[in-house]
PDB file of all heavy atoms in Angstrom:
ATOM      1  N   MET A   1       0.870  -1.136  -0.031  1.00 95.00           N
ATOM      2  CA  MET A   1      -0.054   0.021  -0.009  1.00 95.00           C
ATOM      3  C   MET A   1       0.888   1.244  -0.026  1.00 95.00           C
ATOM      4  O   MET A   1       0.620   2.285  -0.668  1.00 95.00           O
ATOM      5  CB  MET A   1      -0.984  -0.005   1.139  1.00 95.00           C
ATOM      6  CG  MET A   1      -2.005  -1.117   1.060  1.00 95.00           C
ATOM      7  SD  MET A   1      -3.081  -1.200   2.562  1.00 95.00           S
ATOM      8  CE  MET A   1      -4.223   0.189   2.202  1.00 95.00           C
ATOM      9  N   GLN A   2       2.001   1.246   0.714  1.00 96.00           N
ATOM     10  CA  GLN A   2       2.917   2.344   0.615  1.00 96.00           C
ATOM     11  C   GLN A   2       3.482   2.542  -0.727  1.00 96.00           C
ATOM     12  O   GLN A   2       3.630   3.649  -1.119  1.00 96.00           O
ATOM     13  CB  GLN A   2       3.967   2.193   1.751  1.00 96.00           C
ATOM     14  CG  GLN A   2       4.873   3.366   1.876  1.00 96.00           C
ATOM     15  CD  GLN A   2       6.018   3.283   2.739  1.00 96.00           C
ATOM     16  OE1 GLN A   2       6.942   4.162   2.743  1.00 96.00           O
ATOM     17  NE2 GLN A   2       6.126   2.243   3.612  1.00 96.00           N
ATOM     18  N   ASN A   3       3.689   1.423  -1.328  1.00 97.00           N
ATOM     19  CA  ASN A   3       4.162   1.600  -2.817  1.00 97.00           C
ATOM     20  C   ASN A   3       3.127   2.097  -3.622  1.00 97.00           C
ATOM     21  O   ASN A   3       3.392   2.882  -4.611  1.00 97.00           O
ATOM     22  CB  ASN A   3       4.670   0.267  -3.347  1.00 97.00           C
ATOM     23  CG  ASN A   3       5.533   0.374  -4.509  1.00 97.00           C
ATOM     24  OD1 ASN A   3       6.384   1.203  -4.656  1.00 97.00           O
ATOM     25  ND2 ASN A   3       5.261  -0.492  -5.517  1.00 97.00           N
ATOM     26  N   LEU A   4       1.958   1.711  -3.519  1.00 97.00           N
ATOM     27  CA  LEU A   4       0.775   2.299  -4.217  1.00 97.00           C
ATOM     28  C   LEU A   4       0.821   3.843  -4.073  1.00 97.00           C
ATOM     29  O   LEU A   4       0.610   4.584  -5.074  1.00 97.00           O
ATOM     30  CB  LEU A   4      -0.525   1.677  -3.801  1.00 97.00           C
ATOM     31  CG  LEU A   4      -0.791   0.180  -4.213  1.00 97.00           C
ATOM     32  CD1 LEU A   4      -2.180  -0.184  -3.834  1.00 97.00           C
ATOM     33  CD2 LEU A   4      -0.692  -0.054  -5.781  1.00 97.00           C
ATOM     34  N   ALA A   5       0.996   4.238  -2.818  1.00 97.00           N
ATOM     35  CA  ALA A   5       0.894   5.686  -2.470  1.00 97.00           C
ATOM     36  C   ALA A   5       2.138   6.381  -3.186  1.00 97.00           C
ATOM     37  O   ALA A   5       1.993   7.476  -3.714  1.00 97.00           O
ATOM     38  CB  ALA A   5       0.954   5.907  -0.942  1.00 97.00           C
ATOM     39  N   ARG A   6       3.238   5.767  -3.110  1.00 96.00           N
ATOM     40  CA  ARG A   6       4.427   6.242  -3.782  1.00 96.00           C
ATOM     41  C   ARG A   6       4.277   6.458  -5.277  1.00 96.00           C
ATOM     42  O   ARG A   6       4.505   7.576  -5.777  1.00 96.00           O
ATOM     43  CB  ARG A   6       5.618   5.397  -3.569  1.00 96.00           C
ATOM     44  CG  ARG A   6       6.891   5.877  -4.101  1.00 96.00           C
ATOM     45  CD  ARG A   6       8.141   4.977  -3.740  1.00 96.00           C
ATOM     46  NE  ARG A   6       7.969   3.667  -4.531  1.00 96.00           N
ATOM     47  CZ  ARG A   6       8.680   3.485  -5.558  1.00 96.00           C
ATOM     48  NH1 ARG A   6       9.581   4.305  -6.053  1.00 96.00           N
ATOM     49  NH2 ARG A   6       8.636   2.229  -6.220  1.00 96.00           N
ATOM     50  N   LEU A   7       3.766   5.465  -5.956  1.00 97.00           N
ATOM     51  CA  LEU A   7       3.497   5.542  -7.317  1.00 97.00           C
ATOM     52  C   LEU A   7       2.489   6.516  -7.762  1.00 97.00           C
ATOM     53  O   LEU A   7       2.520   7.224  -8.736  1.00 97.00           O
ATOM     54  CB  LEU A   7       3.062   4.146  -7.920  1.00 97.00           C
ATOM     55  CG  LEU A   7       4.189   3.130  -7.846  1.00 97.00           C
ATOM     56  CD1 LEU A   7       3.653   1.659  -8.220  1.00 97.00           C
ATOM     57  CD2 LEU A   7       5.380   3.489  -8.656  1.00 97.00           C
ATOM     58  N   LEU A   8       1.353   6.674  -6.929  1.00 97.00           N
ATOM     59  CA  LEU A   8       0.339   7.655  -7.153  1.00 97.00           C
ATOM     60  C   LEU A   8       0.924   9.074  -7.081  1.00 97.00           C
ATOM     61  O   LEU A   8       0.631  10.020  -7.784  1.00 97.00           O
ATOM     62  CB  LEU A   8      -0.918   7.472  -6.329  1.00 97.00           C
ATOM     63  CG  LEU A   8      -2.000   8.373  -6.560  1.00 97.00           C
ATOM     64  CD1 LEU A   8      -2.559   8.407  -8.030  1.00 97.00           C
ATOM     65  CD2 LEU A   8      -3.205   8.008  -5.566  1.00 97.00           C
ATOM     66  N   HIS A   9       1.817   9.242  -6.038  1.00 95.00           N
ATOM     67  CA  HIS A   9       2.448  10.541  -5.869  1.00 95.00           C
ATOM     68  C   HIS A   9       3.208  10.889  -7.148  1.00 95.00           C
ATOM     69  O   HIS A   9       3.281  12.053  -7.501  1.00 95.00           O
ATOM     70  CB  HIS A   9       3.350  10.541  -4.570  1.00 95.00           C
ATOM     71  CG  HIS A   9       4.275  11.666  -4.523  1.00 95.00           C
ATOM     72  ND1 HIS A   9       3.815  12.909  -4.123  1.00 95.00           N
ATOM     73  CD2 HIS A   9       5.674  11.732  -4.828  1.00 95.00           C
ATOM     74  CE1 HIS A   9       4.728  13.767  -4.197  1.00 95.00           C
ATOM     75  NE2 HIS A   9       5.968  13.143  -4.508  1.00 95.00           N
ATOM     76  N   MET A  10       4.025   9.844  -7.624  1.00 96.00           N
ATOM     77  CA  MET A  10       4.790  10.101  -8.851  1.00 96.00           C
ATOM     78  C   MET A  10       3.932  10.635 -10.021  1.00 96.00           C
ATOM     79  O   MET A  10       4.326  11.487 -10.670  1.00 96.00           O
ATOM     80  CB  MET A  10       5.598   8.894  -9.203  1.00 96.00           C
ATOM     81  CG  MET A  10       6.622   8.566  -8.279  1.00 96.00           C
ATOM     82  SD  MET A  10       7.520   6.991  -8.883  1.00 96.00           S
ATOM     83  CE  MET A  10       8.687   6.782  -7.597  1.00 96.00           C
ATOM     84  N   VAL A  11       2.825   9.949 -10.166  1.00 97.00           N
ATOM     85  CA  VAL A  11       1.915  10.266 -11.253  1.00 97.00           C
ATOM     86  C   VAL A  11       1.379  11.715 -10.991  1.00 97.00           C
ATOM     87  O   VAL A  11       1.286  12.508 -12.009  1.00 97.00           O
ATOM     88  CB  VAL A  11       0.800   9.253 -11.397  1.00 97.00           C
ATOM     89  CG1 VAL A  11      -0.298   9.693 -12.234  1.00 97.00           C
ATOM     90  CG2 VAL A  11       1.310   7.944 -11.737  1.00 97.00           C
ATOM     91  N   ASP A  12       0.934  11.934  -9.783  1.00 96.00           N
ATOM     92  CA  ASP A  12       0.437  13.342  -9.471  1.00 96.00           C
ATOM     93  C   ASP A  12       1.600  14.328  -9.778  1.00 96.00           C
ATOM     94  O   ASP A  12       1.339  15.432 -10.335  1.00 96.00           O
ATOM     95  CB  ASP A  12      -0.015  13.369  -8.069  1.00 96.00           C
ATOM     96  CG  ASP A  12      -1.366  12.756  -7.861  1.00 96.00           C
ATOM     97  OD1 ASP A  12      -1.900  12.402  -8.765  1.00 96.00           O
ATOM     98  OD2 ASP A  12      -1.746  12.653  -6.669  1.00 96.00           O
ATOM     99  N   LYS A  13       2.775  14.098  -9.247  1.00 96.00           N
ATOM    100  CA  LYS A  13       3.853  14.981  -9.370  1.00 96.00           C
ATOM    101  C   LYS A  13       4.134  15.409 -10.869  1.00 96.00           C
ATOM    102  O   LYS A  13       4.472  16.526 -11.213  1.00 96.00           O
ATOM    103  CB  LYS A  13       5.082  14.436  -8.707  1.00 96.00           C
ATOM    104  CG  LYS A  13       6.238  15.441  -8.727  1.00 96.00           C
ATOM    105  CD  LYS A  13       7.457  14.817  -7.915  1.00 96.00           C
ATOM    106  CE  LYS A  13       8.674  15.723  -8.025  1.00 96.00           C
ATOM    107  NZ  LYS A  13       9.864  15.086  -7.293  1.00 96.00           N
ATOM    108  N   ASP A  14       4.038  14.366 -11.650  1.00 96.00           N
ATOM    109  CA  ASP A  14       4.326  14.604 -13.153  1.00 96.00           C
ATOM    110  C   ASP A  14       3.038  15.114 -13.832  1.00 96.00           C
ATOM    111  O   ASP A  14       3.126  15.340 -15.021  1.00 96.00           O
ATOM    112  CB  ASP A  14       4.699  13.283 -13.793  1.00 96.00           C
ATOM    113  CG  ASP A  14       6.142  12.861 -13.323  1.00 96.00           C
ATOM    114  OD1 ASP A  14       6.849  13.648 -12.703  1.00 96.00           O
ATOM    115  OD2 ASP A  14       6.471  11.613 -13.511  1.00 96.00           O
ATOM    116  N   GLY A  15       1.970  15.332 -13.101  1.00 96.00           N
ATOM    117  CA  GLY A  15       0.830  15.990 -13.812  1.00 96.00           C
ATOM    118  C   GLY A  15       0.120  15.078 -14.737  1.00 96.00           C
ATOM    119  O   GLY A  15      -0.522  15.645 -15.662  1.00 96.00           O
ATOM    120  N   ILE A  16       0.134  13.768 -14.612  1.00 97.00           N
ATOM    121  CA  ILE A  16      -0.514  12.909 -15.484  1.00 97.00           C
ATOM    122  C   ILE A  16      -2.074  12.853 -15.179  1.00 97.00           C
ATOM    123  O   ILE A  16      -2.434  12.536 -14.047  1.00 97.00           O
ATOM    124  CB  ILE A  16       0.015  11.399 -15.272  1.00 97.00           C
ATOM    125  CG1 ILE A  16       1.517  11.429 -15.383  1.00 97.00           C
ATOM    126  CG2 ILE A  16      -0.626  10.490 -16.293  1.00 97.00           C
ATOM    127  CD1 ILE A  16       2.061  11.917 -16.765  1.00 97.00           C
ATOM    128  N   LYS A  17      -2.791  13.304 -16.164  1.00 96.00           N
ATOM    129  CA  LYS A  17      -4.209  13.442 -15.957  1.00 96.00           C
ATOM    130  C   LYS A  17      -4.915  11.989 -16.208  1.00 96.00           C
ATOM    131  O   LYS A  17      -4.387  11.282 -17.066  1.00 96.00           O
ATOM    132  CB  LYS A  17      -4.802  14.466 -16.822  1.00 96.00           C
ATOM    133  CG  LYS A  17      -4.305  15.829 -16.621  1.00 96.00           C
ATOM    134  CD  LYS A  17      -4.634  16.319 -15.321  1.00 96.00           C
ATOM    135  CE  LYS A  17      -4.110  17.816 -15.069  1.00 96.00           C
ATOM    136  NZ  LYS A  17      -4.512  18.844 -15.967  1.00 96.00           N
ATOM    137  N   GLY A  18      -6.025  11.835 -15.574  1.00 98.00           N
ATOM    138  CA  GLY A  18      -6.689  10.516 -15.908  1.00 98.00           C
ATOM    139  C   GLY A  18      -7.212   9.923 -14.547  1.00 98.00           C
ATOM    140  O   GLY A  18      -7.141  10.321 -13.436  1.00 98.00           O
ATOM    141  N   GLU A  19      -7.982   8.852 -14.861  1.00 98.00           N
ATOM    142  CA  GLU A  19      -8.635   8.214 -13.703  1.00 98.00           C
ATOM    143  C   GLU A  19      -7.790   7.149 -13.004  1.00 98.00           C
ATOM    144  O   GLU A  19      -6.648   6.747 -13.562  1.00 98.00           O
ATOM    145  CB  GLU A  19      -9.941   7.414 -14.281  1.00 98.00           C
ATOM    146  CG  GLU A  19     -10.834   8.299 -15.093  1.00 98.00           C
ATOM    147  CD  GLU A  19     -11.741   9.220 -14.315  1.00 98.00           C
ATOM    148  OE1 GLU A  19     -11.099  10.108 -13.617  1.00 98.00           O
ATOM    149  OE2 GLU A  19     -12.934   9.044 -14.104  1.00 98.00           O
ATOM    150  N   ILE A  20      -8.267   6.572 -11.888  1.00 98.00           N
ATOM    151  CA  ILE A  20      -7.651   5.487 -11.211  1.00 98.00           C
ATOM    152  C   ILE A  20      -8.607   4.280 -11.429  1.00 98.00           C
ATOM    153  O   ILE A  20      -9.782   4.360 -11.229  1.00 98.00           O
ATOM    154  CB  ILE A  20      -7.431   5.692  -9.612  1.00 98.00           C
ATOM    155  CG1 ILE A  20      -6.509   6.874  -9.478  1.00 98.00           C
ATOM    156  CG2 ILE A  20      -7.020   4.483  -9.064  1.00 98.00           C
ATOM    157  CD1 ILE A  20      -6.417   7.302  -8.043  1.00 98.00           C
ATOM    158  N   VAL A  21      -8.080   3.129 -11.960  1.00 98.00           N
ATOM    159  CA  VAL A  21      -8.857   1.952 -12.091  1.00 98.00           C
ATOM    160  C   VAL A  21      -8.228   0.768 -11.452  1.00 98.00           C
ATOM    161  O   VAL A  21      -7.048   0.540 -11.553  1.00 98.00           O
ATOM    162  CB  VAL A  21      -8.961   1.599 -13.668  1.00 98.00           C
ATOM    163  CG1 VAL A  21      -9.800   0.313 -13.822  1.00 98.00           C
ATOM    164  CG2 VAL A  21      -9.596   2.782 -14.468  1.00 98.00           C
ATOM    165  N   GLU A  22      -9.073   0.058 -10.619  1.00 98.00           N
ATOM    166  CA  GLU A  22      -8.601  -1.167 -10.023  1.00 98.00           C
ATOM    167  C   GLU A  22      -9.534  -2.323 -10.434  1.00 98.00           C
ATOM    168  O   GLU A  22     -10.787  -2.215 -10.292  1.00 98.00           O
ATOM    169  CB  GLU A  22      -8.639  -0.969  -8.388  1.00 98.00           C
ATOM    170  CG  GLU A  22      -8.198  -2.217  -7.672  1.00 98.00           C
ATOM    171  CD  GLU A  22      -7.992  -2.067  -6.192  1.00 98.00           C
ATOM    172  OE1 GLU A  22      -7.074  -1.465  -5.815  1.00 98.00           O
ATOM    173  OE2 GLU A  22      -8.895  -2.488  -5.460  1.00 98.00           O
ATOM    174  N   THR A  23      -8.852  -3.392 -10.735  1.00 98.00           N
ATOM    175  CA  THR A  23      -9.649  -4.556 -11.067  1.00 98.00           C
ATOM    176  C   THR A  23      -9.348  -5.673  -9.958  1.00 98.00           C
ATOM    177  O   THR A  23      -8.164  -6.027  -9.718  1.00 98.00           O
ATOM    178  CB  THR A  23      -9.145  -5.185 -12.436  1.00 98.00           C
ATOM    179  OG1 THR A  23      -7.747  -5.389 -12.496  1.00 98.00           O
ATOM    180  CG2 THR A  23      -9.567  -4.123 -13.524  1.00 98.00           C
ATOM    181  N   GLY A  24     -10.361  -6.152  -9.368  1.00 94.00           N
ATOM    182  CA  GLY A  24     -10.225  -7.031  -8.225  1.00 94.00           C
ATOM    183  C   GLY A  24     -10.178  -6.375  -6.953  1.00 94.00           C
ATOM    184  O   GLY A  24      -9.132  -6.112  -6.300  1.00 94.00           O
ATOM    185  N   ILE A  25     -11.348  -5.798  -6.467  1.00 94.00           N
ATOM    186  CA  ILE A  25     -11.307  -4.950  -5.278  1.00 94.00           C
ATOM    187  C   ILE A  25     -11.610  -5.553  -3.963  1.00 94.00           C
ATOM    188  O   ILE A  25     -11.532  -4.978  -2.937  1.00 94.00           O
ATOM    189  CB  ILE A  25     -12.288  -3.737  -5.577  1.00 94.00           C
ATOM    190  CG1 ILE A  25     -13.720  -4.177  -5.469  1.00 94.00           C
ATOM    191  CG2 ILE A  25     -12.050  -3.000  -6.858  1.00 94.00           C
ATOM    192  CD1 ILE A  25     -14.656  -3.010  -5.501  1.00 94.00           C
ATOM    193  N   ALA A  26     -11.981  -6.923  -4.013  1.00 91.00           N
ATOM    194  CA  ALA A  26     -12.345  -7.669  -2.802  1.00 91.00           C
ATOM    195  C   ALA A  26     -13.133  -6.893  -1.899  1.00 91.00           C
ATOM    196  O   ALA A  26     -14.384  -6.541  -2.287  1.00 91.00           O
ATOM    197  CB  ALA A  26     -10.911  -7.986  -2.119  1.00 91.00           C
ATOM    198  N   LYS A  27     -12.716  -6.535  -0.675  1.00 92.00           N
ATOM    199  CA  LYS A  27     -13.552  -5.902   0.329  1.00 92.00           C
ATOM    200  C   LYS A  27     -13.526  -4.327   0.162  1.00 92.00           C
ATOM    201  O   LYS A  27     -14.108  -3.671   0.938  1.00 92.00           O
ATOM    202  CB  LYS A  27     -13.250  -6.380   1.671  1.00 92.00           C
ATOM    203  CG  LYS A  27     -13.591  -7.761   1.982  1.00 92.00           C
ATOM    204  CD  LYS A  27     -13.347  -8.130   3.324  1.00 92.00           C
ATOM    205  CE  LYS A  27     -13.747  -9.572   3.826  1.00 92.00           C
ATOM    206  NZ  LYS A  27     -13.480 -10.025   4.996  1.00 92.00           N
ATOM    207  N   GLY A  28     -12.691  -3.929  -0.812  1.00 94.00           N
ATOM    208  CA  GLY A  28     -12.761  -2.464  -1.013  1.00 94.00           C
ATOM    209  C   GLY A  28     -11.697  -1.721  -0.379  1.00 94.00           C
ATOM    210  O   GLY A  28     -11.630  -0.458  -0.481  1.00 94.00           O
ATOM    211  N   GLY A  29     -10.719  -2.274   0.317  1.00 95.00           N
ATOM    212  CA  GLY A  29      -9.724  -1.621   1.143  1.00 95.00           C
ATOM    213  C   GLY A  29      -8.746  -0.727   0.248  1.00 95.00           C
ATOM    214  O   GLY A  29      -8.601   0.448   0.593  1.00 95.00           O
ATOM    215  N   SER A  30      -8.157  -1.309  -0.751  1.00 96.00           N
ATOM    216  CA  SER A  30      -7.299  -0.444  -1.483  1.00 96.00           C
ATOM    217  C   SER A  30      -8.034   0.552  -2.478  1.00 96.00           C
ATOM    218  O   SER A  30      -7.481   1.680  -2.654  1.00 96.00           O
ATOM    219  CB  SER A  30      -6.328  -1.340  -2.396  1.00 96.00           C
ATOM    220  OG  SER A  30      -7.142  -2.309  -3.162  1.00 96.00           O
ATOM    221  N   VAL A  31      -9.223   0.200  -2.795  1.00 97.00           N
ATOM    222  CA  VAL A  31     -10.053   1.308  -3.577  1.00 97.00           C
ATOM    223  C   VAL A  31     -10.132   2.444  -2.708  1.00 97.00           C
ATOM    224  O   VAL A  31     -10.113   3.700  -3.097  1.00 97.00           O
ATOM    225  CB  VAL A  31     -11.316   0.731  -4.065  1.00 97.00           C
ATOM    226  CG1 VAL A  31     -12.343   1.796  -4.245  1.00 97.00           C
ATOM    227  CG2 VAL A  31     -11.086  -0.099  -5.263  1.00 97.00           C
ATOM    228  N   VAL A  32     -10.610   2.359  -1.407  1.00 98.00           N
ATOM    229  CA  VAL A  32     -10.882   3.354  -0.488  1.00 98.00           C
ATOM    230  C   VAL A  32      -9.607   4.083  -0.212  1.00 98.00           C
ATOM    231  O   VAL A  32      -9.492   5.277  -0.126  1.00 98.00           O
ATOM    232  CB  VAL A  32     -11.457   2.799   0.775  1.00 98.00           C
ATOM    233  CG1 VAL A  32     -11.493   3.954   1.894  1.00 98.00           C
ATOM    234  CG2 VAL A  32     -12.911   2.432   0.512  1.00 98.00           C
ATOM    235  N   PHE A  33      -8.430   3.313  -0.035  1.00 98.00           N
ATOM    236  CA  PHE A  33      -7.211   3.896   0.247  1.00 98.00           C
ATOM    237  C   PHE A  33      -6.795   4.927  -0.850  1.00 98.00           C
ATOM    238  O   PHE A  33      -6.309   5.967  -0.615  1.00 98.00           O
ATOM    239  CB  PHE A  33      -6.105   2.653   0.294  1.00 98.00           C
ATOM    240  CG  PHE A  33      -4.724   3.176   0.518  1.00 98.00           C
ATOM    241  CD1 PHE A  33      -4.330   3.862   1.641  1.00 98.00           C
ATOM    242  CD2 PHE A  33      -3.787   3.019  -0.499  1.00 98.00           C
ATOM    243  CE1 PHE A  33      -2.879   4.246   1.777  1.00 98.00           C
ATOM    244  CE2 PHE A  33      -2.512   3.394  -0.362  1.00 98.00           C
ATOM    245  CZ  PHE A  33      -2.008   4.070   0.833  1.00 98.00           C
ATOM    246  N   LEU A  34      -6.898   4.415  -2.125  1.00 98.00           N
ATOM    247  CA  LEU A  34      -6.615   5.318  -3.295  1.00 98.00           C
ATOM    248  C   LEU A  34      -7.449   6.508  -3.351  1.00 98.00           C
ATOM    249  O   LEU A  34      -7.030   7.626  -3.713  1.00 98.00           O
ATOM    250  CB  LEU A  34      -6.677   4.546  -4.622  1.00 98.00           C
ATOM    251  CG  LEU A  34      -5.636   3.365  -4.654  1.00 98.00           C
ATOM    252  CD1 LEU A  34      -5.859   2.529  -5.892  1.00 98.00           C
ATOM    253  CD2 LEU A  34      -4.232   3.873  -4.884  1.00 98.00           C
ATOM    254  N   ALA A  35      -8.782   6.304  -3.099  1.00 98.00           N
ATOM    255  CA  ALA A  35      -9.715   7.455  -3.044  1.00 98.00           C
ATOM    256  C   ALA A  35      -9.388   8.431  -1.839  1.00 98.00           C
ATOM    257  O   ALA A  35      -9.443   9.704  -2.114  1.00 98.00           O
ATOM    258  CB  ALA A  35     -11.161   6.913  -2.757  1.00 98.00           C
ATOM    259  N   MET A  36      -8.887   7.904  -0.766  1.00 97.00           N
ATOM    260  CA  MET A  36      -8.471   8.924   0.309  1.00 97.00           C
ATOM    261  C   MET A  36      -7.227   9.719  -0.162  1.00 97.00           C
ATOM    262  O   MET A  36      -7.182  10.898   0.165  1.00 97.00           O
ATOM    263  CB  MET A  36      -8.083   8.005   1.512  1.00 97.00           C
ATOM    264  CG  MET A  36      -9.371   7.408   2.222  1.00 97.00           C
ATOM    265  SD  MET A  36      -8.900   6.341   3.569  1.00 97.00           S
ATOM    266  CE  MET A  36      -8.611   7.614   4.939  1.00 97.00           C
ATOM    267  N   LEU A  37      -6.300   9.052  -0.815  1.00 96.00           N
ATOM    268  CA  LEU A  37      -5.086   9.732  -1.188  1.00 96.00           C
ATOM    269  C   LEU A  37      -5.506  10.688  -2.300  1.00 96.00           C
ATOM    270  O   LEU A  37      -5.005  11.890  -2.400  1.00 96.00           O
ATOM    271  CB  LEU A  37      -4.082   8.765  -1.817  1.00 96.00           C
ATOM    272  CG  LEU A  37      -3.490   7.740  -0.833  1.00 96.00           C
ATOM    273  CD1 LEU A  37      -2.372   6.929  -1.608  1.00 96.00           C
ATOM    274  CD2 LEU A  37      -2.861   8.454   0.389  1.00 96.00           C
ATOM    275  N   THR A  38      -6.427  10.436  -3.245  1.00 96.00           N
ATOM    276  CA  THR A  38      -6.874  11.175  -4.347  1.00 96.00           C
ATOM    277  C   THR A  38      -7.603  12.457  -3.730  1.00 96.00           C
ATOM    278  O   THR A  38      -7.395  13.627  -4.387  1.00 96.00           O
ATOM    279  CB  THR A  38      -7.834  10.437  -5.303  1.00 96.00           C
ATOM    280  OG1 THR A  38      -7.009   9.406  -5.859  1.00 96.00           O
ATOM    281  CG2 THR A  38      -8.349  11.369  -6.384  1.00 96.00           C
ATOM    282  N   ALA A  39      -8.370  12.230  -2.682  1.00 95.00           N
ATOM    283  CA  ALA A  39      -9.062  13.449  -2.100  1.00 95.00           C
ATOM    284  C   ALA A  39      -8.142  14.537  -1.703  1.00 95.00           C
ATOM    285  O   ALA A  39      -8.586  15.734  -1.549  1.00 95.00           O
ATOM    286  CB  ALA A  39      -9.937  12.943  -0.949  1.00 95.00           C
ATOM    287  N   ARG A  40      -6.866  14.165  -1.402  1.00 91.00           N
ATOM    288  CA  ARG A  40      -5.856  15.169  -0.977  1.00 91.00           C
ATOM    289  C   ARG A  40      -5.103  15.840  -2.082  1.00 91.00           C
ATOM    290  O   ARG A  40      -4.280  16.691  -1.885  1.00 91.00           O
ATOM    291  CB  ARG A  40      -4.924  14.469   0.067  1.00 91.00           C
ATOM    292  CG  ARG A  40      -5.601  14.020   1.382  1.00 91.00           C
ATOM    293  CD  ARG A  40      -4.782  12.972   2.073  1.00 91.00           C
ATOM    294  NE  ARG A  40      -3.385  13.114   1.887  1.00 91.00           N
ATOM    295  CZ  ARG A  40      -2.373  12.290   2.112  1.00 91.00           C
ATOM    296  NH1 ARG A  40      -2.784  11.026   2.484  1.00 91.00           N
ATOM    297  NH2 ARG A  40      -1.063  12.580   1.977  1.00 91.00           N
ATOM    298  N   SER A  41      -5.300  15.305  -3.333  1.00 92.00           N
ATOM    299  CA  SER A  41      -4.463  15.682  -4.429  1.00 92.00           C
ATOM    300  C   SER A  41      -5.109  16.903  -5.137  1.00 92.00           C
ATOM    301  O   SER A  41      -6.296  17.184  -5.043  1.00 92.00           O
ATOM    302  CB  SER A  41      -4.378  14.624  -5.425  1.00 92.00           C
ATOM    303  OG  SER A  41      -3.768  14.997  -6.674  1.00 92.00           O
ATOM    304  N   ASN A  42      -4.304  17.729  -5.789  1.00 90.00           N
ATOM    305  CA  ASN A  42      -4.719  18.823  -6.549  1.00 90.00           C
ATOM    306  C   ASN A  42      -5.419  18.387  -7.927  1.00 90.00           C
ATOM    307  O   ASN A  42      -5.997  19.112  -8.675  1.00 90.00           O
ATOM    308  CB  ASN A  42      -3.631  19.703  -6.841  1.00 90.00           C
ATOM    309  CG  ASN A  42      -3.100  20.415  -5.673  1.00 90.00           C
ATOM    310  OD1 ASN A  42      -3.939  20.735  -4.669  1.00 90.00           O
ATOM    311  ND2 ASN A  42      -1.849  20.704  -5.508  1.00 90.00           N
ATOM    312  N   ILE A  43      -5.081  16.978  -8.332  1.00 93.00           N
ATOM    313  CA  ILE A  43      -5.635  16.577  -9.584  1.00 93.00           C
ATOM    314  C   ILE A  43      -6.928  15.761  -9.188  1.00 93.00           C
ATOM    315  O   ILE A  43      -6.896  14.774  -8.424  1.00 93.00           O
ATOM    316  CB  ILE A  43      -4.681  15.673 -10.225  1.00 93.00           C
ATOM    317  CG1 ILE A  43      -3.278  16.471 -10.583  1.00 93.00           C
ATOM    318  CG2 ILE A  43      -5.152  15.038 -11.654  1.00 93.00           C
ATOM    319  CD1 ILE A  43      -2.259  15.683 -11.238  1.00 93.00           C
ATOM    320  N   LYS A  44      -8.085  16.143  -9.823  1.00 92.00           N
ATOM    321  CA  LYS A  44      -9.272  15.488  -9.597  1.00 92.00           C
ATOM    322  C   LYS A  44      -9.362  14.138 -10.455  1.00 92.00           C
ATOM    323  O   LYS A  44      -9.156  14.232 -11.593  1.00 92.00           O
ATOM    324  CB  LYS A  44     -10.442  16.437  -9.963  1.00 92.00           C
ATOM    325  CG  LYS A  44     -11.822  15.735  -9.855  1.00 92.00           C
ATOM    326  CD  LYS A  44     -12.190  15.435  -8.459  1.00 92.00           C
ATOM    327  CE  LYS A  44     -13.594  14.906  -8.394  1.00 92.00           C
ATOM    328  NZ  LYS A  44     -13.994  14.506  -6.989  1.00 92.00           N
ATOM    329  N   ARG A  45      -9.580  13.197  -9.755  1.00 96.00           N
ATOM    330  CA  ARG A  45      -9.806  11.785 -10.373  1.00 96.00           C
ATOM    331  C   ARG A  45     -10.975  11.006  -9.787  1.00 96.00           C
ATOM    332  O   ARG A  45     -11.221  11.157  -8.579  1.00 96.00           O
ATOM    333  CB  ARG A  45      -8.502  10.892 -10.197  1.00 96.00           C
ATOM    334  CG  ARG A  45      -7.181  11.647 -10.475  1.00 96.00           C
ATOM    335  CD  ARG A  45      -5.972  10.646 -10.286  1.00 96.00           C
ATOM    336  NE  ARG A  45      -4.650  11.193 -10.325  1.00 96.00           N
ATOM    337  CZ  ARG A  45      -4.035  11.628 -11.413  1.00 96.00           C
ATOM    338  NH1 ARG A  45      -4.545  11.490 -12.525  1.00 96.00           N
ATOM    339  NH2 ARG A  45      -2.864  12.127 -11.310  1.00 96.00           N
TER     340      ARG A  45
END
């Protein structure tokens, strides 16, 4: 999960526009995690 956060930060830092897509969400933990990080970002996804 920390690596997911690191990679999302890299994408944000480089200004890459676009959505986040996860396939295989199980109980939803990592989807919520990514949504929480996105809510703090300047890039709307």
Side-chain angles (χ1 to χ4, degrees):
M1 291 178 78
Q2 188 184 165
N3 193 45
L4 293 180
R6 179 178 74 100
L7 294 173
L8 184 56
H9 169 76
M10 290 180 181
V11 168
D12 281 355
K13 183 179 178 183
D14 290 345
I16 309 299
K17 300 293 178 64
E19 308 284 67
I20 295 172
V21 177
E22 178 173 286
T23 59
I25 73 174
K27 293 183 178 180
S30 52
V31 158
V32 171
F33 176 69
L34 293 169
M36 293 175 76
L37 298 181
T38 299
R40 296 161 33 200
S41 172
N42 292 325
I43 300 178
K44 176 64 176 176
R45 311 184 193 278

